[in-house]
Amino acid sequence: MSEEEKKEENVRVGIFVCHCGSNIGGLIDCHKLAEESKELPFVAHAEDNLYTCSETGLAAIKKAIEEHNLNRVVVASCTPRTHEPLFRECISEAGLNPYLFNFVNIRDQCTWVHMKHAQEAYDKAKDLIKMGAAKAVKLEPLEMIMVNITPAAMVIGGGVAGMSAALSLSRQGFKTYLVEKEDKLGGRLNSLYKLFPYDIDASEFIGNIISNVQNAKNLEILTSSQVINIEGFVGNFEVEVEHNGTINTFEIGAIIVAVGSSILDPTGLFGYDGNKRITQFELESKLKNNKINQKDIIMIQCVGSRIEERPYCSSVCCMTALKNALNIKDQNPEAHITILFRDLYTPGTEYEEYYRKAREQGVLFVKYDPEKMPVIEETQVKVFNEYINTEMTIPYDLLVLSTPLVANDDNKELAQMLKVPLEANKFFLEAHVKLRPNDFATDGVYIGGSAKWPVDITESISQGYAAASRASTILSHDTIEVEGATSCLPEYNKSLCTGCEVCVKVCPFNAIIKNEDDEIEIIEALCKGCGVCAATCTNQALVIRHFTDDQIMSEIFAYGGE
Amino acid sequence: MSFEPKLLGFLCNWCSYAGADLAGVSRIQYPPNMRVIRVMCSGRVDPKFLIQALELGIDGVYVMGCHIGDCHYLEGNYEALRKFDMTKKLLSFVGLDNRIRLDWVSASEGVRFGEVVSKFVEDIRALGPSPLSRDNPDQELLKKVKAINMAAGTKRLRALVGRQRKITEEENVYGEKVPEEEFNELLDTALKEEYDRQRILLALARDSKSVKDLAVELSLEPSLVLEHMLTLKGRSQVDFQEIIGNTPLFMRI
């Protein structure tokens, strides 16, 4: 962009209002929004598109940039958190600096949340576009910052997901560290008996994977080790790992979180005693070590899950109950097994088949109502059978509780070290459930397995590979472009700087220093662009690029009037 | 028709903006009164942004960031808290402090986002329209808010708030730590002084005036006005213009 084009009087804004099918267009008149946007200052073109993010939509943006000589682009659509990169790339392909793009959120924060207020939603969208266009006028081209990448990965968690990720990365030739807090690899699989749906022996299965990991090139295993501190940023993390009281620091380019999950402590639920009334997990150990010879066995599903305190479905318990029921039948064909369930989930062809097999072998299924919970007595369970509308009394000599997988207690500490979020149940929260399922919003950090949500082994392995694949997109480069929207002390503001150094003190990343010439200097590669320094600067000399005072004030004025 | 508040929200990109998006994905319904400005961190929110918005007649301003301890930028929300508290104190001089609010909303709190916004709308609706609302802004109040806006831009207040955490949480080079209460007293005095000084500067915007005139106009003690005049003169912001009789008239530089 030439100096001439940077001047405000030469600004030409293009506005693209997305219908998002009916997500936006179904509630508010996107065509009218676009037409009215044409009246805004410096707007040279406005149009509405069915899907602005589609090939057609992107082509329309490029065409309009060319035809109308646009030098700022505003898209009013879903959310910048998912689609800003796409549109930045699009205008970049059309020859504009990617920072000359501004996103206006009129779906996630407008039409989706005001579905019964079409007129108000329209007015809100109109205001937001006005504000977005006002900021766009003030946008300036920025250069991305190049940083070097350390071609090494760290996988945190040595269960099946973590091992799959570590194997994948090491086989691609990246130096990989696999950190496990226990003294051996394998995670939960070490305690399981057989795996559904083909009744594979769990020890044999995990043994093979562990031996692959142990024999892999480029792969260093750190057992009895715990990550205690993480500094740095994408491509340049410094991770401190503690092992038997000694601390080692590793230079890491990308990090994968595969810490798995924990098992709910069932104390106080359904008369749990760890002996006659046990969990599925404990049942597996018994199956593994000795024959189960009890005759009357009852399993109860959704123990401590899908309740107010823990509203989620743990997803693996139905299949686990079916598997263990069949395994008991296998060891002791005379056993009577009754499964008390709320809903039975056996998705997919193989799992449904498994359910049918259990029925054929005589496993009984009784649906209970969460409003009328089964009553556990010393030797029998009273349950109201919804299907026959009658209370049943079923004797037992072994009661097995299907308890859910829960988030690890120490997830919060790790999340804080990585600066990534947890969801309401304290599992790790990915960047986007569909668009970026194995990424975090923080660059260079990825997620796989039950750390995110309870998943079975097949899914854990897939996700381990997925996370490894995502990490390799960073590790395979020597350098990477990172956010150019950093803090700066522009030449024209240097005279304003009083040298008070308050900015040096508030910067959380030590990115601001006083240099040899006694001037304030920003180390751009360290700056994350939070903007605290600019909001603090005692003489308002520091400028936070892309979120300048001028840009934010223009949004405030666009909304507040003037 | 009942009054519909006109609200503005500053949302941090990593937690609150994501929480607001999650509210959308979950189709949580809440009142459509608030417009959002996205910032990377709640610590980016300059006190001037909030005051400017109120000055323009916006009925209420919300600042939302990550929960304490969860900040994507480690400690940005602590800075946000300090700045917000200062802004609130300044606005309390004119009774507008209950029109700004600070909350922590995480990326997973979509439901809560809807709840806190609904509550804010309700509370501001109960307060009624801003006395600065654009149809008929209270001119006297407007002058005072302009003074508050200017005060929030002064080096003194910005330096105090910028250094607050260091001063109260860490020891200085002499091994001293200033207790929180002591600091607050210091800050309160500074806020009042800078507010009054900015009011004086505003009052001198067009005409030169005497200390006595200013004292009457601004309802301040003449001795206090004189003290401020000397400070402002020291800062080269005012000067004597002429002396009429025995009364010096001051003008703004």
Side-chain angles (χ1 to χ4, degrees):
Chain A
M1 169 177 271
S2 67
E3 285 304 311
E4 197 58 21
E5 276 178 304
K6 283 187 202 169
K7 285 188 192 157
E8 198 165 293
E9 63 265 30
N10 297 324
V11 164
R12 296 177 62 81
V13 182
I15 295 181
F16 300 83
V17 182
C18 179
H19 290 243
C20 193
S22 62
N23 282 297
I24 298 167
L27 188 72
I28 59 180
D29 186 342
C30 294
H31 181 69
K32 192 171 154 205
L33 266 181
E35 286 306 305
E36 291 187 349
S37 308
K38 287 180 179 166
E39 307 302 317
L40 295 171
F42 302 102
V43 171
H45 172 73
E47 63 178 272
D48 53 309
N49 323 94
L50 187 56
Y51 288 101
T52 312
C53 65
S54 68
E55 277 302 317
T56 326
L58 297 175
I61 294 178
K62 289 178 189 166
K63 184 165 162 253
I65 290 174
E66 172 125 16
E67 273 179 13
H68 301 276
N69 201 17
L70 304 177
N71 50 26
R72 302 288 189 286
V73 171
V74 173
V75 171
S77 182
C78 43
T79 168
R81 294 178 59 256
T82 56
H83 280 67
E84 188 173 66
L86 178 76
F87 293 120
R88 277 187 176 177
E89 198 182 315
C90 167
I91 71 159
S92 182
E93 282 167 12
L96 290 183
N97 182 287
Y99 286 92
L100 298 175
F101 171 77
N102 196 25
F103 207 108
V104 177
N105 184 329
I106 61 167
R107 188 191 72 180
D108 292 34
Q109 296 181 15
C110 189
T111 56
W112 275 355
V113 290
H114 310 309
M115 294 164 92
K116 294 202 172 79
H117 301 276
Q119 183 56 46
E120 288 86 348
Y122 181 87
D123 296 341
K124 177 168 169 178
K126 193 176 163 185
D127 281 344
L128 290 170
I129 291 173
K130 188 177 172 196
M131 293 160 73
K135 178 171 176 180
V137 172
K138 306 274 183 188
L139 289 176
E140 288 178 16
L142 298 177
E143 295 305 320
M144 296 290 258
I145 296 162
M146 299 294 279
V147 295
N148 293 326
I149 298 291
T150 308
M154 182 169 283
V155 179
I156 307 173
V160 69
M163 287 194 291
S164 304
L167 271 177
S168 168
L169 285 167
S170 63
R171 282 170 179 166
Q172 290 179 70
F174 302 117
K175 177 73 190 172
T176 306
Y177 300 92
L178 180 58
V179 183
E180 168 57 48
K181 66 180 170 188
E182 302 296 331
D183 58 3
K184 61 174 180 177
L185 295 173
R188 176 138 315 111
L189 266 158
N190 286 323
S191 333
L192 300 186
Y193 174 51
K194 286 190 173 173
L195 307 178
F196 53 75
Y198 298 124
D199 299 333
I200 304 165
D201 185 274
S203 318
E204 201 182 312
F205 176 77
I206 199 67
N208 285 335
I209 298 180
I210 293 173
S211 97
N212 285 341
V213 168
Q214 284 165 341
N215 294 325
K217 282 181 193 165
N218 305 319
L219 186 77
E220 196 169 314
I221 303 166
L222 308 165
T223 43
S224 307
S225 297
Q226 201 143 5
V227 171
I228 54 163
N229 192 32
I230 301 170
E231 299 281 337
F233 51 94
V234 57
N236 298 274
F237 293 104
E238 271 185 20
V239 186
E240 285 178 12
V241 178
E242 193 258 353
H243 172 74
N244 290 341
T246 51
I247 296 168
N248 291 307
T249 305
F250 298 88
E251 309 268 321
I252 299 294
I255 298 173
I256 292 177
V257 176
V259 293
S261 54
S262 304
I263 289 181
L264 179 73
D265 174 9
T267 310
L269 295 171
F270 292 87
Y272 169 82
D273 63 4
N275 182 27
K276 193 176 171 182
R277 293 178 279 267
I278 61 174
T279 63
Q280 290 285 0
F281 193 60
E282 287 162 336
L283 174 67
E284 297 236 4
S285 304
K286 284 185 193 288
L287 281 166
K288 195 171 175 167
N289 296 323
N290 49 43
K291 209 170 146 160
I292 291 283
N293 44 27
Q294 284 91 338
K295 199 161 165 287
D296 295 307
I297 297 159
I298 299 179
M299 295 182 177
I300 305 182
Q301 299 303 102
C302 299
V303 172
S305 62
R306 302 174 69 210
I307 55 174
E308 202 177 332
E309 181 196 349
R310 210 172 289 104
Y312 62 91
C313 164
S314 178
S315 94
V316 295
C317 329
C318 286
M319 283 304 294
T320 304
L322 292 175
K323 173 190 76 173
N324 287 340
L326 282 168
N327 285 332
I328 293 169
K329 278 277 188 191
D330 203 33
Q331 290 187 5
N332 180 9
E334 301 303 309
H336 297 120
I337 304 172
T338 311
I339 297 182
L340 309 183
F341 68 98
R342 279 173 59 185
D343 299 283
L344 207 63
Y345 294 136
T346 58
T349 50
E350 282 160 352
Y351 292 1
E352 181 67 14
E353 188 62 37
Y354 209 77
Y355 163 67
R356 288 173 192 281
K357 198 166 129 195
R359 293 207 74 133
E360 277 163 20
Q361 300 217 1
V363 177
L364 283 178
F365 292 87
V366 175
K367 185 173 166 74
Y368 72 88
D369 178 351
E371 301 291 311
K372 296 174 190 159
M373 289 298 256
V375 178
I376 314 300
E377 294 177 356
E378 192 50 37
T379 55
Q380 59 187 22
V381 172
K382 285 185 176 158
V383 58
F384 184 82
N385 186 330
E386 272 200 359
Y387 291 146
I388 54 174
N389 203 24
T390 308
E391 188 175 84
M392 295 170 72
T393 303
I394 311 167
Y396 73 90
D397 39 34
L398 182 66
L399 185 71
V400 185
L401 308 175
S402 290
T403 49
L405 296 174
V406 294
N408 296 343
D409 286 339
D410 53 5
N411 278 0
K412 192 167 175 70
E413 288 151 38
L414 183 59
Q416 284 179 359
M417 281 189 250
L418 288 162
K419 296 183 271 298
V420 299
L422 301 178
E423 49 83 83
N425 302 294
K426 309 294 175 214
F427 288 102
F428 285 90
L429 181 67
E430 70 280 66
H432 189 279
V433 65
K434 289 192 173 66
L435 298 173
R436 297 174 65 193
N438 294 92
D439 295 7
F440 282 111
T442 305
D443 290 339
V445 190
Y446 306 92
I447 169 102
S450 285
K452 189 171 77 156
W453 204 248
V455 287
D456 65 17
I457 290 144
T458 314
E459 180 70 18
S460 290
I461 296 169
S462 307
Q463 287 197 20
Y465 288 151
S469 158
R470 296 294 298 145
S472 71
T473 61
I474 299 280
L475 299 172
S476 57
H477 293 86
D478 296 333
T479 56
I480 187 175
E481 286 183 331
V482 296
E483 194 49 63
T486 59
S487 172
C488 68
L489 178 58
E491 204 55 46
Y492 56 82
N493 267 7
K494 279 210 165 134
S495 62
L496 285 178
C497 177
T498 60
C500 71
E501 294 185 47
V502 174
C503 55
V504 177
K505 295 195 176 75
V506 296
C507 176
F509 303 98
N510 302 322
I512 308 180
I513 55 162
K514 200 167 226 183
N515 67 16
E516 290 158 0
D517 300 330
D518 215 26
E519 281 181 350
I520 290 294
E521 184 182 322
I522 287 103
I523 306 163
E524 290 184 345
L526 288 180
C527 175
K528 306 279 180 304
C530 66
V532 170
C533 57
T536 306
C537 180
T538 58
N539 213 19
Q540 296 164 67
L542 284 177
V543 170
I544 179 77
R545 295 181 175 124
H546 215 57
F547 292 90
T548 66
D549 280 4
D550 199 24
Q551 289 165 357
I552 293 176
M553 281 295 188
S554 71
E555 289 180 89
I556 298 171
F557 276 95
Y559 178 43
E562 297 285 283
Chain B
M1 207 181 79
S2 80
F3 154 64
E4 281 304 330
K6 179 172 179 172
L7 307 178
L8 182 64
F10 290 92
L11 270 53
C12 88
N13 182 60
W14 302 94
C15 291
S16 307
Y17 196 90
D21 277 354
L22 182 62
V25 173
S26 323
R27 305 301 193 277
I28 307 291
Q29 303 296 302
Y30 56 86
N33 301 62
M34 190 169 87
R35 311 291 179 258
V36 165
I37 293 181
R38 183 171 71 113
V39 286
M40 295 312 279
C41 178
S42 54
R44 168 68 187 104
V45 181
D46 195 305
K48 292 178 72 73
F49 297 163
L50 305 185
I51 302 162
Q52 187 62 61
L54 293 180
E55 196 182 314
L56 289 169
I58 289 169
D59 296 305
V61 190
Y62 219 147
V63 180
M64 293 189 204
C66 309
H67 286 273
I68 290 293
D70 288 348
C71 178
H72 185 79
Y73 302 105
L74 312 172
E75 300 174 337
N77 48 6
Y78 283 99
E79 297 298 335
L81 184 60
R82 300 290 188 182
K83 290 180 174 63
F84 183 84
D85 283 349
M86 175 188 102
T87 315
K88 213 169 165 65
K89 281 180 173 173
L90 277 173
L91 288 168
S92 72
F93 296 145
V94 292
L96 291 178
D97 50 321
N98 50 5
R99 291 186 179 271
I100 62 170
R101 188 171 288 179
L102 174 73
D103 243 315
W104 313 127
V105 175
S106 80
S108 66
E109 293 176 324
V111 175
R112 192 163 160 269
F113 178 82
E115 287 168 359
V116 299
V117 172
S118 304
K119 181 78 171 60
F120 192 49
V121 172
E122 223 173 88
D123 292 349
I124 299 293
R125 185 178 284 133
L127 277 182
S130 164
L132 299 177
S133 90
R134 295 190 65 76
D135 312 331
N136 183 25
D138 175 338
Q139 292 301 330
E140 274 311 301
L141 181 63
L142 193 58
K143 267 190 227 160
K144 290 180 181 171
V145 174
K146 276 187 199 297
I148 287 174
N149 200 345
M150 286 159 64
T154 58
K155 281 181 215 162
R156 183 183 179 204
L157 293 187
R158 293 176 77 88
L160 261 178
V161 172
R163 291 205 175 98
Q164 187 172 4
R165 291 187 63 214
K166 289 279 164 192
I167 294 173
T168 57
E169 289 170 18
E170 290 172 28
E171 291 176 350
N172 65 14
V173 285
Y174 306 108
E176 295 164 330
K177 199 160 100 173
V178 179
E180 191 84 14
E181 286 160 31
E182 203 175 302
F183 179 87
N184 277 330
E185 274 174 39
L186 197 79
L187 180 63
D188 288 346
T189 312
L191 290 170
K192 184 73 174 74
E193 282 177 357
E194 291 309 317
Y195 168 56
D196 286 343
R197 286 171 191 163
Q198 301 308 317
R199 288 181 71 201
I200 291 171
L201 288 177
L202 272 178
L204 292 174
R206 289 207 196 103
D207 318 304
S208 47
K209 286 167 188 167
S210 69
V211 166
K212 205 174 144 195
D213 293 342
L214 285 165
V216 172
E217 186 182 332
L218 304 174
S219 309
L220 294 170
E221 285 297 318
S223 58
L224 191 66
V225 176
L226 183 62
E227 261 179 56
H228 287 324
M229 293 318 276
L230 296 174
T231 309
L232 290 171
K233 189 164 182 312
R235 287 184 190 171
S236 308
Q237 288 183 298
V238 298
D239 207 351
F240 298 117
Q241 192 190 32
E242 53 184 327
I243 298 178
I244 295 180
N246 289 328
T247 314
L249 289 189
F250 287 90
M251 61 172 212
R252 197 169 156 182
I253 301 173

